Amino acid sequence: MQTLYALLRLFREYIVFTLLTGLSLFLIANNNSAPVQVLRSFSILTFASFQSGSNQIANLFTSAQDAQTLRDVNVALMEEVMQLRQLRQENLELRRKIGFRERVSYPLVPAEIIGKNLSLGQNMITIDAGSDDSVGVNMPVINEHGLVGKIIATTAGYAIAQLALHRDFRATAKVKRSRIDGIIAWDEGDMLILKNIDKTADIIPGDTIVTSEYSNIYPSEIMIGVIRSIGPGGGGYFDRILVEPRVNFASLERVFVMRYRSSSQRSHLEETMFPDEDER
């Protein structure tokens, strides 16, 4: 009992304040006089305004959180779309290459390009396939679009290929439509030139150029490119038959090495007899 009395004495101010506040609210709620009604309306409006402001602040934070969540979801969806597009492109490329391999009659060794030297006419690539993969010197290098070049050096696991855009590149070629034979070589930039063609030959811009059956390094009918322009030359030949390669060398990433071996005896004989027009 003494403890209860001590607590009442200790908190008597709070107890009195609570009782008086409750009594005041009771009297205000049950009093219909004009001043009390004004006070009651003011209290209600004040409380409503405070509650509305609190709700707006809460909604502001909620909207900011929702916006951030939507941004995160949008970024994730964009990344997923990009991955799906990349997978689709790889799938289409794989289908093209599978179909291409089925059309080629010689065994092919697939390879990734791991190094490029594309400067001053010394255009070469390094691939991740070598003698352990049955890759040898002078084997043709192609992709699904056409002729890329040939192998000029190998190790057990790697090989270097000379591109058709190399200044020493030569290949016997022909116009597919009219069967006119010539020599294809690098001209400058990303263009090739078809040489040793008589002025009376049946060739026109748009003609397709392929490797010929007279080549000792490249099988016949490999796509090389398309004639873009024909310029007049001296003597009995055209000197500026420009050919645009079908292969896009700037974006080249993967190639195939054709396991097609040239005849060393024929190569030696032709290099001896025709040193200026050999397939180098």
Side-chain angles (χ1 to χ4, degrees):
M1 190 67 180
Q2 292 180 352
T3 303
L4 178 61
Y5 180 72
L7 289 174
L8 291 175
R9 288 190 60 188
L10 181 62
F11 296 102
R12 63 180 180 276
E13 291 87 357
Y14 299 103
I15 295 172
V16 172
F17 175 76
T18 302
L19 292 174
L20 292 176
T21 301
L23 180 61
S24 299
L25 293 175
F26 176 78
L27 292 175
I28 291 173
N30 291 276
N31 194 331
N32 294 323
S33 63
V36 173
Q37 289 182 358
V38 172
L39 179 60
R40 188 185 302 163
S41 300
F42 177 76
S43 300
I44 293 173
L45 289 174
T46 302
F47 178 75
S49 300
F50 175 76
Q51 186 176 15
S52 176
S54 300
N55 290 337
Q56 290 180 359
I57 294 174
N59 291 335
L60 180 63
F61 284 105
T62 302
S63 299
Q65 293 175 354
D66 291 343
Q68 183 61 43
T69 301
L70 289 174
R71 282 194 292 268
D72 293 340
V73 171
N74 189 36
V75 170
L77 289 175
M78 289 179 63
E79 291 178 351
E80 186 174 350
V81 168
M82 292 177 63
Q83 291 176 356
L84 289 174
R85 286 179 178 174
Q86 183 176 358
L87 290 174
R88 179 177 179 273
Q89 183 63 31
E90 291 177 354
N91 185 34
L92 292 175
E93 184 177 354
L94 182 60
R95 288 184 178 182
R96 286 196 301 267
K97 291 184 176 180
I98 290 174
F100 168 71
R101 294 187 69 172
E102 291 176 349
R103 297 194 305 269
V104 177
S105 57
Y106 295 95
L108 298 178
V109 179
E112 297 277 342
I113 296 175
I114 59 174
K116 286 185 179 182
N117 179 17
L118 305 177
S119 62
L120 301 176
Q122 299 288 341
N123 294 304
M124 295 180 288
I125 57 174
T126 303
I127 61 175
D128 63 352
S131 57
D132 286 349
D133 305 291
S134 300
V135 172
V137 173
N138 280 340
M139 285 186 176
V141 180
I142 60 175
N143 71 358
E144 65 271 23
H145 300 295
L147 182 63
V148 174
K150 69 175 182 178
I151 300 297
I152 59 173
T154 64
T155 62
Y158 303 96
I160 293 178
Q162 177 193 81
L163 300 183
L165 299 183
H166 194 283
R167 64 187 180 189
D168 292 333
F169 172 80
R170 302 286 188 278
T172 58
K174 65 183 177 184
V175 180
K176 189 171 184 178
R177 177 184 59 83
S178 59
R179 318 306 290 180
I180 302 298
D181 296 304
I183 300 292
I184 197 77
W186 175 65
D187 182 56
E188 59 182 14
D190 57 357
M191 297 295 288
L192 302 173
I193 186 169
L194 184 63
K195 304 192 299 182
N196 294 2
I197 303 296
D198 191 86
K199 282 185 176 181
T200 61
D202 179 16
I203 57 172
I204 57 175
D207 275 341
T208 298
I209 306 300
V210 297
T211 55
S212 82
E213 55 271 20
Y214 302 122
S215 174
N216 187 37
I217 296 178
Y218 308 100
S220 62
E221 301 296 330
I222 298 177
M223 170 62 70
I224 296 176
V226 176
I227 293 178
R228 289 307 180 201
S229 65
I230 302 173
Y237 298 98
F238 295 108
D239 65 349
R240 296 291 293 174
I241 304 176
L242 292 182
V243 177
E244 181 181 3
R246 184 60 61 88
V247 173
N248 185 345
F249 291 94
S251 61
L252 200 60
E253 295 180 348
R254 302 174 183 87
V255 295
F256 294 100
V257 180
M258 299 183 71
R259 292 171 59 185
Y260 175 85
R261 293 190 177 275
S262 60
S263 169
S264 58
Q265 293 184 16
R266 176 182 170 181
S267 296
H268 177 71
L269 177 62
E270 291 180 348
E271 288 173 3
T272 302
M273 298 301 297
F274 312 110
D276 295 331
E277 297 296 338
D278 62 335
E279 293 181 311
R280 290 180 283 180

